[in-house]
Amino acid sequence: MASATPTSSSAGGDASKAKQPVAIVCVGMAGSGKTTFMQRINAHLHGQKQPPYVINLDPAVLNVPFESNIDIRDSVNYKEVMKQYNLGPNGGILTSLNLFATKVDQILGLLEKRTAPDPAQPDKKPIEHILVDTPGQIEVFVWSASGTILLESLASSFPTVIAYVIDTPRTSSTSTFMSNMLYACSILYKTKLPMILVFNKTDVKDASFAKEWMTDYDAFQEALQADQENNAFGGVEGGDISGSGYMGSLLNSMSLMLEEFYAHLNVVGVSSMTGQGIDEFFEAVQQKAAEFKRDYQPELERRRNEREENKRKAREREVEKMMKGMALGGEPSSTPKVGDVKDGDDEIEPYSEGDDDDDDDDDEMDREGLQARYEAAMQAEGEPTLTADASFAKYLHTAGR
């Protein structure tokens, strides 16, 4: 990539946009080593003299092994929420996130303030990474309204990447591997954000088998056949795989379906204990940040514009309904005039009940004048009026007696 010194304001704007920090949202099942992974990448960035901005969104964690710039526990008391609302652990986490999501505008304000260049300290390096730790209960964060609000708000301001942390030793069988892949697939299509699969704990078991299964269909089929022969799916003992045929067929179908899904992922094997693979992880982050700007950001802007257009149309429909409701008694004699919007300090004329009475008198006079003009017009055309018709009918009735 050729480097050039910006010679115009537009070039400077592009350069500042290129330095926009990347938000890394770490999600993973309980026990996958997600918090330890957060600690490792935080320490790595500090060692590179690039301190990140750290956000902790887990209200139930007791001790965090890294310093957080924004901590949900400073705003919401998880145990108090459970006590007041009579909730269990998952309900307490969900409600705490819902309460914290009401402050999302303040969170974005702090992020934009801290990531912007400081005029008072021009030599200070701007923040390049935002790290977000989430609860171990993935569904509580990913599938909740508060999680969606937080993710969409973050993605609307910064390039956002999902780091899905997987426990590698527990994913060595084809069934648990496929379960993790399906979970990752659901998260990807729910968040609609670029994703990196982080196979953690490679110091215990190397993640090369997982990479091979994702890129080589035949290798996964061989592993699937071996699991069936070893009765890994609870089939009939003695090597008869007919009892586990359904499970094998399901996993085979899933592997075919996810082949396209694998093409959109970056796979990295890391060890949170030794630091192995961390450099490779941040290379994947840069790739996904570029992918976000190229592919995801236009889609997010399109969805945002679509929501704004739907809101505008909804407001117009409400105004139309209101105007029809005001005109139920007949068409207004003139278009109503909307008064100027006043500030709260301006004087407003007090309301008096007599105003309504005057309006009623005016309406009555208008109706009487309209009736009189109608009868006069009918007489001018030589036709009997309604009053004359009534008098003639009365005469006939009297004469018949």
Side-chain angles (χ1 to χ4, degrees), residues 294-310:
R294 183 184 68 249
D295 300 331
Y296 288 82
Q297 198 164 25
E299 175 64 16
L300 289 174
E301 292 177 356
R302 185 194 66 80
R303 289 163 54 195
R304 189 184 305 113
N305 294 334
E306 184 178 350
R307 286 196 300 269
E308 292 297 328
E309 181 66 17
N310 291 336

Side-chain angles (χ1 to χ4, degrees), residues 37 161-166 168 171 177 181 184 194-200 202 206-216 258-259 261-270 277-285 287-288 291:
F37 173 72
V161 177
I162 301 292
Y164 181 57
V165 184
I166 300 173
T168 306
T171 317
F177 172 81
M181 294 302 102
M195 175 181 288
I196 302 173
L197 292 186
V198 182
F199 283 90
N200 196 15
T202 55
D206 190 73
S208 57
F209 73 94
K211 296 180 182 179
E212 185 181 13
W213 287 353
M214 295 177 67
T215 56
D216 190 348
L258 294 177
E259 187 175 0
F261 166 68
Y262 295 150
H264 298 280
L265 298 177
N266 283 45
V267 183
V268 180
V270 303
I278 297 298
D279 291 329
E280 184 182 355
F281 168 74
F282 280 104
E283 290 176 2
V285 167
Q287 294 177 14
K288 288 301 179 182
E291 182 180 332

Side-chain angles (χ1 to χ4, degrees), residues 102-362:
T102 60
K103 305 295 183 182
V104 67
D105 55 337
Q106 299 180 14
I107 299 171
L108 291 179
L110 288 172
L111 287 174
E112 293 173 357
K113 180 180 178 181
R114 292 297 302 273
T115 56
D118 189 358
Q121 298 177 347
D123 297 334
K124 184 179 179 181
K125 294 185 65 175
I127 294 174
E128 297 183 9
H129 297 88
I130 301 170
L131 306 182
V132 183
D133 193 16
T134 61
Q137 292 80 352
I138 301 179
E139 65 281 356
V140 171
F141 178 76
V142 175
W143 293 97
S144 65
S146 55
T148 302
I149 291 171
L150 291 168
L151 280 177
E152 290 187 353
S153 301
L154 196 62
S156 66
S157 301
F158 308 99
T160 305
V161 177
I162 301 292
Y164 181 57
V165 184
I166 300 173
D167 189 344
T168 306
R170 295 184 179 179
T171 317
S172 56
S173 69
T174 54
S175 57
T176 54
F177 172 81
M178 191 55 63
S179 298
N180 266 296
M181 294 302 102
L182 292 175
Y183 227 128
C185 182
S186 66
I187 294 173
L188 176 67
Y189 289 107
K190 176 64 172 65
T191 61
K192 295 181 175 62
L193 294 172
M195 175 181 288
I196 302 173
L197 292 186
V198 182
F199 283 90
N200 196 15
K201 305 180 183 180
T202 55
D203 55 313
V204 179
K205 184 175 180 59
D206 190 73
S208 57
F209 73 94
K211 296 180 182 179
E212 185 181 13
W213 287 353
M214 295 177 67
T215 56
D216 190 348
Y217 175 78
D218 292 333
F220 182 79
Q221 291 302 309
E222 292 177 2
L224 179 60
Q225 182 70 20
D227 283 347
Q228 286 180 311
E229 292 176 354
N230 294 330
N231 198 30
F233 306 136
V236 180
E237 296 183 0
D240 184 3
I241 63 173
S242 60
S244 59
Y246 169 76
M247 190 65 176
S249 176
L250 177 63
L251 293 178
N252 187 26
S253 302
M254 292 295 101
S255 63
L256 285 172
M257 182 198 71
L258 294 177
E259 187 175 0
E260 182 66 21
F261 166 68
Y262 295 150
H264 298 280
L265 298 177
N266 283 45
V267 183
V268 180
V270 303
S271 172
S272 299
M273 295 298 295
T274 64
Q276 176 186 357
I278 297 298
D279 291 329
E280 184 182 355
F281 168 74
F282 280 104
E283 290 176 2
V285 167
Q286 294 303 319
Q287 294 177 14
K288 288 301 179 182
E291 182 180 332
F292 176 90
K293 295 178 182 178
R294 183 184 68 249
D295 300 331
Y296 288 82
Q297 198 164 25
E299 175 64 16
L300 289 174
E301 292 177 356
R302 185 194 66 80
R303 289 163 54 195
R304 189 184 305 113
N305 294 334
E306 184 178 350
R307 286 196 300 269
E308 292 297 328
E309 181 66 17
N310 291 336
K311 290 180 181 178
R312 185 186 64 80
K313 290 181 179 179
R315 287 194 296 267
E316 290 180 354
R317 287 194 296 267
E318 292 299 324
V319 171
E320 185 178 355
K321 288 180 182 179
M322 181 183 68
M323 297 303 295
K324 287 182 178 179
M326 294 173 61
L328 284 177
E331 293 295 331
S333 58
S334 62
T335 304
K337 182 179 179 181
V338 180
D340 296 333
V341 178
K342 301 291 185 180
D343 189 79
D345 295 334
D346 293 339
E347 293 185 0
I348 301 176
E349 295 183 1
Y351 169 81
S352 62
E353 296 181 356
D355 295 340
D356 289 344
D357 296 337
D358 294 341
D359 293 341
D360 294 340
D361 294 341
D362 293 340

